[in-house]
Amino acid sequence: MKGNLLLTLGRLPKALDVARGFADLGWRVVVAEPFKRHLAGASRLVARSHQVTAPAQDKHAYLADLHRIIAEEAIDLVVPVSEETMHVAFLRDKLPATTRLFTMPPDILLRLHNKHGFVQQAQAWGLTVPESHALGDPKATALAQSGPVVIKPVHSCSGRGVRLLPGGSVLPAPDPAIPAIVQRCVMGAEYSSCSIAHQGRVSSTVIYRAAQKSGSVAVAFERVEHPAIEDWITRFIAAAQWTGFIAFDIMLDQDGQPWGIECNPRTTSGLHFWERADIARAVLEPGFIPRYRPETRLQQFYSALTETQMSLFRRGPFRENLRQLFTTRDVSWDRRDPMPFLTMTATSWPIIRMAMARGVPFGEVATLDVGWYD
């Protein structure tokens, strides 16, 4: 099967992997992106890029732009990549009969994207999640008195706005403009995941942990095996009857019990651990099991380089970071398609400039204009 693919974001390495994977199978790849220049657009395997309205600026104009592209390019399959997924889901009821959308309807997407909604849904399905209450609820105050808690906006990613408070802390006043939850802090090891599923059946799950971070965002990743976490994810996907990409942040406590702390109903960096052509096949063919790449550690080179340089001045593990920098494969490098890697600084400049102006890591602002915050 071959056709025309629309990716609804092009700036992230995840989009590049999906684009390359479909191109490897003979598909024509088109990208819709609010930025004029972007990472995937530098690839020789992307046939065309369209600049679109940023959904955080105007949701209706964004969807209108996507409808126009779908018609003009005779798109057969739409695959959302990251935070724009919550907007793209609203295409579902107005797509041509010949166009498929690889994600769930907006009602369940938005319920799970909301951090409080995710906890409530997981509890209803009998899955372990930490006790959580809306900021401003008396139960949240009582929870904060009983032990350490995490405060997080119900709509956020990349750690934006997340605060850890010790037990007995006085909670801040709720802000109606930025609803938040207070969640019991689970002590243990943190893991992330990425899964591909069709109608509640998991094609494959990658479980990984951060090997190096920039702020709260991982820039180097290590794939691991953990049956208990994989079982938790499989049960959730089956209960949701999920089709599409889905990911979780999970804490493993000292007793080996997994606790789901967040759901990301989209791709994550775990996607890089699959063979790229197999990603495309797993999207297209229910039941197909994608192979893992041979590497169990991968990195985003330029971000890892920055962190390695900073560790020299922060008295961090500079020598180990330097060793890993030059022995770990970059997620975007491909000698047959080198331009995305070689031009990454130029194509990512709008995000770099924004991160520098705000004094925050790249990952914390990379999707601000495409996120869902309602």
Side-chain angles (χ1 to χ4, degrees):
M1 176 183 176
K2 298 179 183 179
N4 295 321
L5 169 73
L6 176 63
L7 292 178
T8 53
L9 203 69
R11 69 188 67 172
L12 301 176
K14 297 176 289 187
L16 183 61
D17 262 12
V18 178
R20 286 169 168 170
F22 273 88
D24 287 348
L25 297 186
W27 280 62
R28 180 174 178 269
V29 179
V30 177
V31 178
E33 166 64 59
F35 291 146
K36 185 176 182 179
R37 295 181 181 85
H38 54 89
L39 178 69
S43 171
R44 66 178 183 84
L45 300 176
V46 170
R48 190 176 179 188
S49 292
H50 292 261
Q51 188 173 14
V52 296
T53 305
Q57 174 187 336
D58 188 328
K59 294 182 176 68
H60 299 293
Y62 174 67
L63 292 176
D65 288 344
L66 294 183
H67 280 295
R68 172 181 52 79
I69 295 165
I70 290 167
E72 287 181 6
E73 302 285 357
I75 296 298
D76 300 291
L77 174 64
V78 180
V79 176
V81 174
S82 186
E83 294 295 318
E84 87 285 2
T85 301
M86 273 50 74
H87 299 276
V88 177
F90 284 89
L91 288 173
R92 177 174 297 274
D93 294 335
K94 297 182 180 179
L95 285 174
T98 55
T99 303
R100 178 185 169 203
L101 174 61
F102 192 61
T103 192
M104 294 290 282
D107 56 344
I108 187 168
L109 274 173
L110 294 178
R111 184 159 71 250
L112 300 184
H113 174 60
N114 182 302
K115 291 175 174 53
H116 202 184
F118 158 67
V119 167
Q120 293 170 327
Q121 185 63 82
Q123 285 176 329
W125 288 335
L127 292 155
T128 49
V129 287
E131 182 181 356
S132 305
H133 303 287
L135 181 62
D137 186 325
K139 293 180 181 178
T141 302
L143 181 63
Q145 295 303 306
S146 67
V149 294
V150 180
I151 301 177
K152 57 182 81 171
V154 297
H155 295 128
S156 69
C157 69
S158 305
R160 289 195 298 267
V162 175
R163 287 174 285 174
L164 173 62
L165 298 180
S169 297
V170 176
L171 297 177
D175 181 351
I178 310 176
I181 63 167
V182 179
Q183 187 171 83
R184 179 175 65 84
C185 181
V186 178
M187 307 306 292
E190 183 175 0
Y191 295 85
S192 298
S193 71
C194 188
S195 299
I196 304 174
H198 292 267
Q199 296 181 327
R201 297 177 66 88
V202 177
S203 298
S204 182
T205 290
V206 169
I207 300 168
Y208 66 103
R209 57 190 174 196
Q212 187 179 36
K213 286 187 174 184
S214 175
S216 61
V217 180
V219 296
F221 335 93
E222 181 183 13
R223 183 174 67 82
V224 298
E225 302 284 345
H226 207 292
I229 295 176
E230 191 164 347
D231 178 68
W232 191 103
I233 292 168
T234 298
R235 290 165 56 206
F236 189 102
I237 288 173
Q241 283 295 291
W242 194 267
T243 293
F245 292 104
I246 190 169
F248 301 91
D249 292 329
I250 290 180
M251 297 297 296
L252 197 70
D253 68 19
Q254 296 177 346
D255 296 325
Q257 173 67 56
W259 297 82
I261 58 173
E262 290 186 19
C263 175
N264 299 299
R266 53 171 175 81
T267 67
T268 61
S269 296
L271 175 142
H272 299 303
F273 287 103
W274 287 308
E275 293 286 356
R276 68 189 196 190
D278 285 9
I279 297 171
R281 285 195 61 185
V283 169
L284 295 168
E285 302 174 25
F288 176 79
I289 302 174
R291 295 164 296 171
Y292 293 135
R293 291 170 61 162
E295 299 88 358
T296 57
R297 180 178 170 125
L298 295 167
Q299 69 179 349
Q300 295 174 351
F301 175 81
Y302 292 107
S303 296
L305 172 62
T306 299
E307 289 306 306
T308 298
Q309 292 169 328
M310 293 301 293
S311 68
L312 178 62
F313 301 103
R314 295 171 180 165
R315 297 183 180 180
F318 173 74
R319 290 192 177 187
E320 176 60 17
N321 286 347
L322 190 65
R323 185 185 72 81
Q324 293 289 356
L325 183 70
F326 290 106
T327 58
T328 302
R329 182 170 178 171
D330 175 73
V331 297
S332 300
W333 169 251
D334 186 331
R335 62 181 177 80
R336 298 166 298 175
D337 185 31
M339 292 309 292
F341 177 83
L342 296 176
T343 63
M344 188 177 293
T345 301
T347 57
S348 301
W349 178 244
I351 305 171
I352 295 171
R353 182 175 56 198
M354 191 186 312
M356 292 172 60
R358 298 184 179 214
V360 298
F362 179 96
E364 290 191 21
V365 296
T367 57
L368 276 177
D369 62 327
V370 298
W372 183 281
Y373 307 108
D374 292 348

